[in-house]
Amino acid sequence: MDDKLNFKFMAKALALAKRSLGRTRPNPSVGAIIVKNKKIVGKGFHKIAGKDHAEIIAIKEAGLLAKGADLYVTLEPCSHKGKTPPCANSIVSSGIKNIYIAMTDPNPLVNGKGVDFLKKNGMNVFLGIMEEEAKKLNLGFISRMKYKRPYIRSKIAISLDGKTSLQNGKSRWITSKSSREDVQKWRSKSCAILTGKGTINIDNPSLLVKDQSAKNQPLRIILDSYLTIKPNSKILQQNNVVVVYGEDSNLNLPKLKKTKAKLEKITLLNNKIDLMALMQFLNKLEINDLWVEAGPKLNGELLKLELLDELITYMAPYIIGGNANSMFDAPILKNMSDKIKFTIIDFRNIGEDIRIQAKLDKNYVD
Amino acid sequence: MDDKLNFKFMAKALALAKRSLGRTRPNPSVGAIIVKNKKIVGKGFHKIAGKDHAEIIAIKEAGLLAKGADLYVTLEPCSHKGKTPPCANSIVSSGIKNIYIAMTDPNPLVNGKGVDFLKKNGMNVFLGIMEEEAKKLNLGFISRMKYKRPYIRSKIAISLDGKTSLQNGKSRWITSKSSREDVQKWRSKSCAILTGKGTINIDNPSLLVKDQSAKNQPLRIILDSYLTIKPNSKILQQNNVVVVYGEDSNLNLPKLKKTKAKLEKITLLNNKIDLMALMQFLNKLEINDLWVEAGPKLNGELLKLELLDELITYMAPYIIGGNANSMFDAPILKNMSDKIKFTIIDFRNIGEDIRIQAKLDKNYVD
């Protein structure tokens, strides 16, 4: 065992896994490398659900060279039959000798069973190399497996004085083009984008990933308790859009049925979409990573319910001043000791703006 | 001329100048280095008004070695008699041959006259080495000379969602101990600290520089339009405190006269201290660098009048949520195009917080 080499090859497997981030739903992103005599003889990453897993692609590439080789894989190989046969069997048959696994699979159908199977079949299993890095790649998958809800990141563009929009709701544009381009990257890595009806009715955004085909767009989910979204909104002319509502109070339903959007009725709680019921719906859709682009009302509700794992703030060098809207309408605190603790995990320049990434201390997935 | 050496020695002169930042009021901070045969033979920095200027201290240290030497000085030597005799004469008499000056003196009494005098007396004058760095050191002095008002930095501690205090005004503590210690450094480099009566009445702060003697504290200036400050406030038991008021509406005057604070009556404008009149008062006091620690009302007014050159934000990783107070009550904008442009000049970790330093684009002193 050579630690330095192990890190090197696992890092390569992780880099491969990254290439399909956001496109493997409902599966996690996984990369695999097969090494023989310190040389890579096979590599693969899982591209899309239903197709070969990373290990299988790598084994096919390695062919007969797999015999006696080392396999580096970012996630525990599966031991159950899903859409494809179990990888653990194929690994054993390939003749691979040593297997290095970054993390166990949080999927209860696997969760250690893959490792057990490999060990029972005489392989040397080394677990935990670059585990933290591997977990970071699949926070969404881990969250869904552990908590039956996606990992939720909320993106909020603010001014230097923490304002998201003027009192009339107008917010175009607080942040720079560079920041808006950076947002595109996050959108493309997410299974779904969540927003509120208010954002649609005020800004009329498309919430598209520019470089992706109409088919590969993340699911766009719009919360609209009483179905008052404007039926001519741009986003409703697209595929992969669902409007989640509680009651149809204004007879908008027939008009909306003529749009491309799907409609999903869900329970209301205090006149708002029940966010816990929404989580069940998202879990049913097998959404791993949820990207929120919403206003202070929805963000405040998510925060109150601890449904905001990460906050990604783009801060622009402008001051907007009094009576403009803040990031969160809720919660309303009585004491400073009730303030909600985050940890800043990254901050950097994006053009003239600063991007601040912070994770909620209380329910961090890992 | 050796550019690399010139930078090296001017950098040393600048480092010397920095050592007296905030203590030379009303004078600027200046450093000087005398070099002969590539070796430093004399050095000095201006310590306090009324005492020797930097050049004189360096010349005294160099003694006869000054003859034919090079002088590096961060600010144009004075050519007029102030509290001390003009430096330009002493430099000529010392026999120094070459003089490297970072920036001309913005003081209209000097402003080029020092350079002219040196040239006329046969010296080689090289102007502008590390000029930007030199200007940064004396933004306050430059501002006072050019605009007859101090350079104004406002420090605001905020949560991740841009909140400064709860609705009841409580703000202890949003930011970490590390940030509060960092604030101490800025206070110590400022001639004066400005705050509003609200901050005093709610938080009862001392606004002290912990490591400085009672005598060396910056002047603390409290704006209190109608003199409603609590007479038992801690800050009023100190030296170097002035309460600026417009009218004595509640017969507080006799009680306040018994405190250590000085009282200064000034004009009101729309029921608030006229901030332009305040600037005249600060100019009269020869305040170069003003450090503001105030609430959203005073900060908003300063912003509206473009009396906020720099914003220094300490952002703590907490969310406070709805109905808490923002950074600025004013201005109230109608259009996003009216947003006030800053440039972020520095951002970094301070403990678990982030410090963001931004300068107002419109009236940056340089």
mmCIF file of all heavy atoms in Angstrom, chain A residues 272-312:
data_model
loop_
_atom_site.group_PDB
_atom_site.id
_atom_site.type_symbol
_atom_site.label_atom_id
_atom_site.label_comp_id
_atom_site.label_asym_id
_atom_site.label_seq_id
_atom_site.Cartn_x
_atom_site.Cartn_y
_atom_site.Cartn_z
ATOM 1 N N LYS A 272 -50.204 28.001 3.250
ATOM 2 C CA LYS A 272 -49.001 27.881 2.418
ATOM 3 C C LYS A 272 -48.803 26.405 2.072
ATOM 4 O O LYS A 272 -49.269 25.527 2.802
ATOM 5 C CB LYS A 272 -47.773 28.374 3.193
ATOM 6 C CG LYS A 272 -47.688 29.887 3.291
ATOM 7 C CD LYS A 272 -46.565 30.296 4.218
ATOM 8 C CE LYS A 272 -47.084 31.177 5.306
ATOM 9 N NZ LYS A 272 -46.483 31.269 6.548
ATOM 10 N N ILE A 273 -48.094 26.162 0.979
ATOM 11 C CA ILE A 273 -47.754 24.771 0.646
ATOM 12 C C ILE A 273 -47.069 24.153 1.866
ATOM 13 O O ILE A 273 -46.131 24.731 2.420
ATOM 14 C CB ILE A 273 -46.783 24.735 -0.564
ATOM 15 C CG1 ILE A 273 -47.440 25.283 -1.830
ATOM 16 C CG2 ILE A 273 -46.236 23.320 -0.790
ATOM 17 C CD1 ILE A 273 -48.522 24.408 -2.428
ATOM 18 N N ASP A 274 -47.533 22.988 2.277
ATOM 19 C CA ASP A 274 -46.911 22.270 3.402
ATOM 20 C C ASP A 274 -45.546 21.759 2.931
ATOM 21 O O ASP A 274 -45.463 20.835 2.117
ATOM 22 C CB ASP A 274 -47.826 21.116 3.819
ATOM 23 C CG ASP A 274 -47.222 20.282 4.939
ATOM 24 O OD1 ASP A 274 -46.027 20.479 5.261
ATOM 25 O OD2 ASP A 274 -47.942 19.431 5.487
ATOM 26 N N LEU A 275 -44.478 22.375 3.442
ATOM 27 C CA LEU A 275 -43.148 22.066 2.913
ATOM 28 C C LEU A 275 -42.710 20.651 3.246
ATOM 29 O O LEU A 275 -41.906 20.063 2.524
ATOM 30 C CB LEU A 275 -42.135 23.106 3.406
ATOM 31 C CG LEU A 275 -42.355 24.521 2.834
ATOM 32 C CD1 LEU A 275 -41.365 25.511 3.457
ATOM 33 C CD2 LEU A 275 -42.217 24.532 1.320
ATOM 34 N N MET A 276 -43.244 20.094 4.318
ATOM 35 C CA MET A 276 -42.912 18.706 4.633
ATOM 36 C C MET A 276 -43.568 17.762 3.619
ATOM 37 O O MET A 276 -42.970 16.784 3.192
ATOM 38 C CB MET A 276 -43.309 18.353 6.064
ATOM 39 C CG MET A 276 -42.403 19.023 7.111
ATOM 40 S SD MET A 276 -40.622 18.742 6.745
ATOM 41 C CE MET A 276 -39.851 19.546 8.151
ATOM 42 N N ALA A 277 -44.787 18.107 3.222
ATOM 43 C CA ALA A 277 -45.458 17.330 2.172
ATOM 44 C C ALA A 277 -44.699 17.495 0.852
ATOM 45 O O ALA A 277 -44.562 16.543 0.076
ATOM 46 C CB ALA A 277 -46.903 17.783 2.022
ATOM 47 N N LEU A 278 -44.204 18.710 0.624
ATOM 48 C CA LEU A 278 -43.403 18.942 -0.585
ATOM 49 C C LEU A 278 -42.174 18.034 -0.589
ATOM 50 O O LEU A 278 -41.810 17.464 -1.621
ATOM 51 C CB LEU A 278 -42.976 20.416 -0.661
ATOM 52 C CG LEU A 278 -42.047 20.763 -1.821
ATOM 53 C CD1 LEU A 278 -42.779 20.727 -3.166
ATOM 54 C CD2 LEU A 278 -41.366 22.122 -1.625
ATOM 55 N N MET A 279 -41.551 17.881 0.573
ATOM 56 C CA MET A 279 -40.363 17.029 0.670
ATOM 57 C C MET A 279 -40.703 15.583 0.298
ATOM 58 O O MET A 279 -39.936 14.914 -0.375
ATOM 59 C CB MET A 279 -39.754 17.080 2.074
ATOM 60 C CG MET A 279 -39.089 18.411 2.423
ATOM 61 S SD MET A 279 -37.780 18.881 1.265
ATOM 62 C CE MET A 279 -38.253 20.567 0.848
ATOM 63 N N GLN A 280 -41.869 15.142 0.734
ATOM 64 C CA GLN A 280 -42.307 13.782 0.369
ATOM 65 C C GLN A 280 -42.469 13.656 -1.136
ATOM 66 O O GLN A 280 -42.077 12.662 -1.749
ATOM 67 C CB GLN A 280 -43.616 13.438 1.074
ATOM 68 C CG GLN A 280 -43.426 13.125 2.553
ATOM 69 C CD GLN A 280 -44.752 13.003 3.294
ATOM 70 O OE1 GLN A 280 -45.795 12.805 2.679
ATOM 71 N NE2 GLN A 280 -44.702 13.133 4.607
ATOM 72 N N PHE A 281 -43.038 14.693 -1.731
ATOM 73 C CA PHE A 281 -43.220 14.722 -3.180
ATOM 74 C C PHE A 281 -41.860 14.678 -3.888
ATOM 75 O O PHE A 281 -41.651 13.903 -4.828
ATOM 76 C CB PHE A 281 -44.027 15.973 -3.566
ATOM 77 C CG PHE A 281 -44.159 16.198 -5.040
ATOM 78 C CD1 PHE A 281 -44.772 15.255 -5.868
ATOM 79 C CD2 PHE A 281 -43.680 17.374 -5.626
ATOM 80 C CE1 PHE A 281 -44.904 15.484 -7.240
ATOM 81 C CE2 PHE A 281 -43.808 17.595 -6.991
ATOM 82 C CZ PHE A 281 -44.411 16.654 -7.804
ATOM 83 N N LEU A 282 -40.917 15.478 -3.402
ATOM 84 C CA LEU A 282 -39.583 15.509 -4.010
ATOM 85 C C LEU A 282 -38.870 14.171 -3.846
ATOM 86 O O LEU A 282 -38.153 13.709 -4.733
ATOM 87 C CB LEU A 282 -38.719 16.625 -3.384
ATOM 88 C CG LEU A 282 -39.198 18.064 -3.605
ATOM 89 C CD1 LEU A 282 -38.272 19.040 -2.885
ATOM 90 C CD2 LEU A 282 -39.262 18.400 -5.091
ATOM 91 N N ASN A 283 -39.105 13.538 -2.706
ATOM 92 C CA ASN A 283 -38.503 12.225 -2.450
ATOM 93 C C ASN A 283 -39.077 11.187 -3.408
ATOM 94 O O ASN A 283 -38.355 10.336 -3.929
ATOM 95 C CB ASN A 283 -38.744 11.827 -0.996
ATOM 96 C CG ASN A 283 -37.924 10.613 -0.594
ATOM 97 O OD1 ASN A 283 -36.731 10.542 -0.928
ATOM 98 N ND2 ASN A 283 -38.536 9.674 0.094
ATOM 99 N N LYS A 284 -40.383 11.300 -3.669
ATOM 100 C CA LYS A 284 -41.041 10.397 -4.615
ATOM 101 C C LYS A 284 -40.432 10.581 -6.012
ATOM 102 O O LYS A 284 -40.258 9.614 -6.751
ATOM 103 C CB LYS A 284 -42.545 10.706 -4.636
ATOM 104 C CG LYS A 284 -43.431 9.537 -5.005
ATOM 105 C CD LYS A 284 -44.916 9.921 -4.940
ATOM 106 C CE LYS A 284 -45.315 10.876 -6.046
ATOM 107 N NZ LYS A 284 -46.691 11.373 -5.948
ATOM 108 N N LEU A 285 -40.093 11.835 -6.321
ATOM 109 C CA LEU A 285 -39.476 12.127 -7.628
ATOM 110 C C LEU A 285 -37.981 11.776 -7.636
ATOM 111 O O LEU A 285 -37.316 11.958 -8.643
ATOM 112 C CB LEU A 285 -39.644 13.614 -7.976
ATOM 113 C CG LEU A 285 -41.053 14.142 -8.211
ATOM 114 C CD1 LEU A 285 -40.998 15.650 -8.466
ATOM 115 C CD2 LEU A 285 -41.720 13.437 -9.385
ATOM 116 N N GLU A 286 -37.451 11.302 -6.497
ATOM 117 C CA GLU A 286 -36.038 10.936 -6.349
ATOM 118 C C GLU A 286 -35.094 12.106 -6.672
ATOM 119 O O GLU A 286 -34.078 11.947 -7.339
ATOM 120 C CB GLU A 286 -35.709 9.719 -7.211
ATOM 121 C CG GLU A 286 -36.565 8.497 -6.860
ATOM 122 C CD GLU A 286 -36.183 7.248 -7.653
ATOM 123 O OE1 GLU A 286 -36.202 7.296 -8.892
ATOM 124 O OE2 GLU A 286 -35.850 6.235 -7.011
ATOM 125 N N ILE A 287 -35.450 13.299 -6.182
ATOM 126 C CA ILE A 287 -34.612 14.492 -6.359
ATOM 127 C C ILE A 287 -33.503 14.463 -5.307
ATOM 128 O O ILE A 287 -33.787 14.450 -4.106
ATOM 129 C CB ILE A 287 -35.454 15.782 -6.173
ATOM 130 C CG1 ILE A 287 -36.621 15.855 -7.163
ATOM 131 C CG2 ILE A 287 -34.570 17.028 -6.254
ATOM 132 C CD1 ILE A 287 -36.237 16.019 -8.604
ATOM 133 N N ASN A 288 -32.249 14.448 -5.747
ATOM 134 C CA ASN A 288 -31.122 14.460 -4.804
ATOM 135 C C ASN A 288 -30.742 15.876 -4.387
ATOM 136 O O ASN A 288 -30.649 16.186 -3.214
ATOM 137 C CB ASN A 288 -29.897 13.799 -5.433
ATOM 138 C CG ASN A 288 -30.098 12.310 -5.679
ATOM 139 O OD1 ASN A 288 -30.799 11.649 -4.920
ATOM 140 N ND2 ASN A 288 -29.498 11.801 -6.736
ATOM 141 N N ASP A 289 -30.488 16.723 -5.395
ATOM 142 C CA ASP A 289 -30.003 18.080 -5.118
ATOM 143 C C ASP A 289 -31.037 19.093 -5.552
ATOM 144 O O ASP A 289 -31.399 19.165 -6.725
ATOM 145 C CB ASP A 289 -28.699 18.317 -5.885
ATOM 146 C CG ASP A 289 -27.555 17.510 -5.315
ATOM 147 O OD1 ASP A 289 -26.918 18.002 -4.378
ATOM 148 O OD2 ASP A 289 -27.336 16.364 -5.788
ATOM 149 N N LEU A 290 -31.475 19.890 -4.587
ATOM 150 C CA LEU A 290 -32.480 20.902 -4.884
ATOM 151 C C LEU A 290 -31.826 22.279 -4.801
ATOM 152 O O LEU A 290 -31.144 22.596 -3.819
ATOM 153 C CB LEU A 290 -33.640 20.804 -3.886
ATOM 154 C CG LEU A 290 -34.806 21.760 -4.141
ATOM 155 C CD1 LEU A 290 -35.561 21.384 -5.418
ATOM 156 C CD2 LEU A 290 -35.771 21.746 -2.953
ATOM 157 N N TRP A 291 -32.015 23.078 -5.823
ATOM 158 C CA TRP A 291 -31.437 24.422 -5.915
ATOM 159 C C TRP A 291 -32.583 25.418 -5.819
ATOM 160 O O TRP A 291 -33.513 25.384 -6.630
ATOM 161 C CB TRP A 291 -30.694 24.539 -7.270
ATOM 162 C CG TRP A 291 -30.092 25.854 -7.600
ATOM 163 C CD1 TRP A 291 -30.529 26.755 -8.526
ATOM 164 C CD2 TRP A 291 -28.876 26.409 -7.063
ATOM 165 N NE1 TRP A 291 -29.680 27.828 -8.593
ATOM 166 C CE2 TRP A 291 -28.664 27.645 -7.703
ATOM 167 C CE3 TRP A 291 -27.964 25.974 -6.095
ATOM 168 C CZ2 TRP A 291 -27.562 28.454 -7.419
ATOM 169 C CZ3 TRP A 291 -26.872 26.793 -5.802
ATOM 170 C CH2 TRP A 291 -26.684 28.009 -6.457
ATOM 171 N N VAL A 292 -32.551 26.261 -4.794
ATOM 172 C CA VAL A 292 -33.655 27.193 -4.571
ATOM 173 C C VAL A 292 -33.278 28.587 -5.078
ATOM 174 O O VAL A 292 -32.209 29.101 -4.758
ATOM 175 C CB VAL A 292 -34.017 27.270 -3.069
ATOM 176 C CG1 VAL A 292 -35.199 28.205 -2.842
ATOM 177 C CG2 VAL A 292 -34.284 25.887 -2.502
ATOM 178 N N GLU A 293 -34.144 29.153 -5.884
ATOM 179 C CA GLU A 293 -34.004 30.571 -6.279
ATOM 180 C C GLU A 293 -35.336 31.222 -5.991
ATOM 181 O O GLU A 293 -36.225 31.206 -6.844
ATOM 182 C CB GLU A 293 -33.642 30.705 -7.762
ATOM 183 C CG GLU A 293 -32.301 30.106 -8.111
ATOM 184 C CD GLU A 293 -31.792 30.519 -9.497
ATOM 185 O OE1 GLU A 293 -32.124 31.626 -9.962
ATOM 186 O OE2 GLU A 293 -31.053 29.728 -10.091
ATOM 187 N N ALA A 294 -35.458 31.751 -4.798
ATOM 188 C CA ALA A 294 -36.778 32.224 -4.389
ATOM 189 C C ALA A 294 -36.666 33.530 -3.613
ATOM 190 O O ALA A 294 -35.575 34.044 -3.372
ATOM 191 C CB ALA A 294 -37.454 31.152 -3.549
ATOM 192 N N GLY A 295 -37.790 34.044 -3.218
ATOM 193 C CA GLY A 295 -37.841 35.304 -2.483
ATOM 194 C C GLY A 295 -37.806 35.076 -0.973
ATOM 195 O O GLY A 295 -37.700 33.943 -0.500
ATOM 196 N N PRO A 296 -37.876 36.176 -0.220
ATOM 197 C CA PRO A 296 -37.737 36.110 1.242
ATOM 198 C C PRO A 296 -38.819 35.285 1.942
ATOM 199 O O PRO A 296 -38.554 34.729 3.009
ATOM 200 C CB PRO A 296 -37.795 37.576 1.688
ATOM 201 C CG PRO A 296 -38.155 38.385 0.501
ATOM 202 C CD PRO A 296 -37.964 37.563 -0.722
ATOM 203 N N LYS A 297 -40.002 35.165 1.343
ATOM 204 C CA LYS A 297 -41.063 34.396 2.008
ATOM 205 C C LYS A 297 -40.720 32.919 2.022
ATOM 206 O O LYS A 297 -40.679 32.290 3.078
ATOM 207 C CB LYS A 297 -42.406 34.609 1.277
ATOM 208 C CG LYS A 297 -43.116 35.870 1.707
ATOM 209 C CD LYS A 297 -44.577 35.847 1.236
ATOM 210 C CE LYS A 297 -45.140 37.258 1.300
ATOM 211 N NZ LYS A 297 -45.421 37.829 -0.004
ATOM 212 N N LEU A 298 -40.481 32.358 0.835
ATOM 213 C CA LEU A 298 -40.190 30.922 0.745
ATOM 214 C C LEU A 298 -38.871 30.596 1.459
ATOM 215 O O LEU A 298 -38.787 29.613 2.213
ATOM 216 C CB LEU A 298 -40.149 30.478 -0.725
ATOM 217 C CG LEU A 298 -39.835 29.007 -0.987
ATOM 218 C CD1 LEU A 298 -40.714 28.064 -0.175
ATOM 219 C CD2 LEU A 298 -39.962 28.676 -2.475
ATOM 220 N N ASN A 299 -37.867 31.454 1.278
ATOM 221 C CA ASN A 299 -36.595 31.204 1.965
ATOM 222 C C ASN A 299 -36.753 31.222 3.480
ATOM 223 O O ASN A 299 -36.151 30.417 4.185
ATOM 224 C CB ASN A 299 -35.538 32.231 1.522
ATOM 225 C CG ASN A 299 -34.828 31.790 0.246
ATOM 226 O OD1 ASN A 299 -34.362 30.657 0.152
ATOM 227 N ND2 ASN A 299 -34.738 32.678 -0.723
ATOM 228 N N GLY A 300 -37.581 32.136 3.961
ATOM 229 C CA GLY A 300 -37.834 32.219 5.403
ATOM 230 C C GLY A 300 -38.521 30.956 5.925
ATOM 231 O O GLY A 300 -38.183 30.437 6.991
ATOM 232 N N GLU A 301 -39.483 30.445 5.152
ATOM 233 C CA GLU A 301 -40.188 29.225 5.578
ATOM 234 C C GLU A 301 -39.256 28.016 5.583
ATOM 235 O O GLU A 301 -39.292 27.193 6.500
ATOM 236 C CB GLU A 301 -41.387 28.963 4.651
ATOM 237 C CG GLU A 301 -42.515 29.989 4.775
ATOM 238 C CD GLU A 301 -43.024 30.141 6.209
ATOM 239 O OE1 GLU A 301 -43.247 29.112 6.861
ATOM 240 O OE2 GLU A 301 -43.170 31.296 6.680
ATOM 241 N N LEU A 302 -38.414 27.917 4.553
ATOM 242 C CA LEU A 302 -37.446 26.810 4.497
ATOM 243 C C LEU A 302 -36.503 26.866 5.698
ATOM 244 O O LEU A 302 -36.194 25.848 6.317
ATOM 245 C CB LEU A 302 -36.627 26.887 3.196
ATOM 246 C CG LEU A 302 -37.383 26.551 1.899
ATOM 247 C CD1 LEU A 302 -36.548 26.941 0.682
ATOM 248 C CD2 LEU A 302 -37.727 25.064 1.834
ATOM 249 N N LEU A 303 -36.074 28.089 6.003
ATOM 250 C CA LEU A 303 -35.147 28.285 7.118
ATOM 251 C C LEU A 303 -35.795 27.867 8.440
ATOM 252 O O LEU A 303 -35.188 27.161 9.255
ATOM 253 C CB LEU A 303 -34.744 29.762 7.162
ATOM 254 C CG LEU A 303 -33.678 30.149 8.148
ATOM 255 C CD1 LEU A 303 -32.334 29.550 7.742
ATOM 256 C CD2 LEU A 303 -33.545 31.679 8.207
ATOM 257 N N LYS A 304 -37.021 28.292 8.641
ATOM 258 C CA LYS A 304 -37.740 27.968 9.877
ATOM 259 C C LYS A 304 -37.818 26.465 10.097
ATOM 260 O O LYS A 304 -37.723 25.979 11.222
ATOM 261 C CB LYS A 304 -39.174 28.534 9.808
ATOM 262 C CG LYS A 304 -39.364 29.798 10.627
ATOM 263 C CD LYS A 304 -40.669 30.477 10.339
ATOM 264 C CE LYS A 304 -41.914 29.694 10.734
ATOM 265 N NZ LYS A 304 -43.145 30.490 10.424
ATOM 266 N N LEU A 305 -38.011 25.729 9.008
ATOM 267 C CA LEU A 305 -38.165 24.276 9.102
ATOM 268 C C LEU A 305 -36.828 23.535 8.968
ATOM 269 O O LEU A 305 -36.817 22.310 8.815
ATOM 270 C CB LEU A 305 -39.147 23.795 8.025
ATOM 271 C CG LEU A 305 -40.580 24.281 8.199
ATOM 272 C CD1 LEU A 305 -41.420 23.968 6.974
ATOM 273 C CD2 LEU A 305 -41.216 23.650 9.447
ATOM 274 N N GLU A 306 -35.719 24.288 8.993
ATOM 275 C CA GLU A 306 -34.385 23.684 8.820
ATOM 276 C C GLU A 306 -34.292 22.903 7.523
ATOM 277 O O GLU A 306 -33.661 21.843 7.452
ATOM 278 C CB GLU A 306 -34.025 22.812 10.033
ATOM 279 C CG GLU A 306 -33.875 23.651 11.286
ATOM 280 C CD GLU A 306 -33.687 22.831 12.548
ATOM 281 O OE1 GLU A 306 -33.516 21.611 12.464
ATOM 282 O OE2 GLU A 306 -33.710 23.443 13.645
ATOM 283 N N LEU A 307 -34.914 23.434 6.495
ATOM 284 C CA LEU A 307 -34.851 22.826 5.164
ATOM 285 C C LEU A 307 -33.947 23.647 4.254
ATOM 286 O O LEU A 307 -34.200 23.805 3.066
ATOM 287 C CB LEU A 307 -36.261 22.718 4.568
ATOM 288 C CG LEU A 307 -37.190 21.715 5.252
ATOM 289 C CD1 LEU A 307 -38.607 21.815 4.688
ATOM 290 C CD2 LEU A 307 -36.661 20.294 5.085
ATOM 291 N N LEU A 308 -32.914 24.211 4.844
ATOM 292 C CA LEU A 308 -31.977 24.997 4.050
ATOM 293 C C LEU A 308 -30.582 24.561 4.488
ATOM 294 O O LEU A 308 -30.049 25.036 5.488
ATOM 295 C CB LEU A 308 -32.240 26.486 4.328
ATOM 296 C CG LEU A 308 -31.766 27.465 3.273
ATOM 297 C CD1 LEU A 308 -32.587 28.738 3.337
ATOM 298 C CD2 LEU A 308 -30.314 27.744 3.442
ATOM 299 N N ASP A 309 -30.012 23.606 3.766
ATOM 300 C CA ASP A 309 -28.729 23.034 4.169
ATOM 301 C C ASP A 309 -27.575 23.984 3.891
ATOM 302 O O ASP A 309 -26.628 24.069 4.665
ATOM 303 C CB ASP A 309 -28.490 21.718 3.416
ATOM 304 C CG ASP A 309 -29.543 20.680 3.759
ATOM 305 O OD1 ASP A 309 -29.641 20.353 4.948
ATOM 306 O OD2 ASP A 309 -30.265 20.221 2.863
ATOM 307 N N GLU A 310 -27.681 24.666 2.769
ATOM 308 C CA GLU A 310 -26.602 25.569 2.376
ATOM 309 C C GLU A 310 -27.170 26.854 1.821
ATOM 310 O O GLU A 310 -28.180 26.846 1.109
ATOM 311 C CB GLU A 310 -25.747 24.915 1.275
ATOM 312 C CG GLU A 310 -24.397 24.471 1.729
ATOM 313 C CD GLU A 310 -23.588 23.833 0.611
ATOM 314 O OE1 GLU A 310 -23.296 24.505 -0.387
ATOM 315 O OE2 GLU A 310 -23.244 22.652 0.756
ATOM 316 N N LEU A 311 -26.475 27.935 2.131
ATOM 317 C CA LEU A 311 -26.858 29.239 1.606
ATOM 318 C C LEU A 311 -25.720 29.688 0.696
ATOM 319 O O LEU A 311 -24.553 29.661 1.098
ATOM 320 C CB LEU A 311 -27.027 30.204 2.776
ATOM 321 C CG LEU A 311 -27.405 31.635 2.452
ATOM 322 C CD1 LEU A 311 -28.779 31.695 1.795
ATOM 323 C CD2 LEU A 311 -27.407 32.464 3.727
ATOM 324 N N ILE A 312 -26.058 30.068 -0.530
ATOM 325 C CA ILE A 312 -25.038 30.546 -1.459
ATOM 326 C C ILE A 312 -25.413 31.962 -1.849
ATOM 327 O O ILE A 312 -26.381 32.200 -2.572
ATOM 328 C CB ILE A 312 -24.921 29.591 -2.662
ATOM 329 C CG1 ILE A 312 -24.318 28.282 -2.127
ATOM 330 C CG2 ILE A 312 -24.018 30.182 -3.743
ATOM 331 C CD1 ILE A 312 -24.464 27.120 -3.021
#
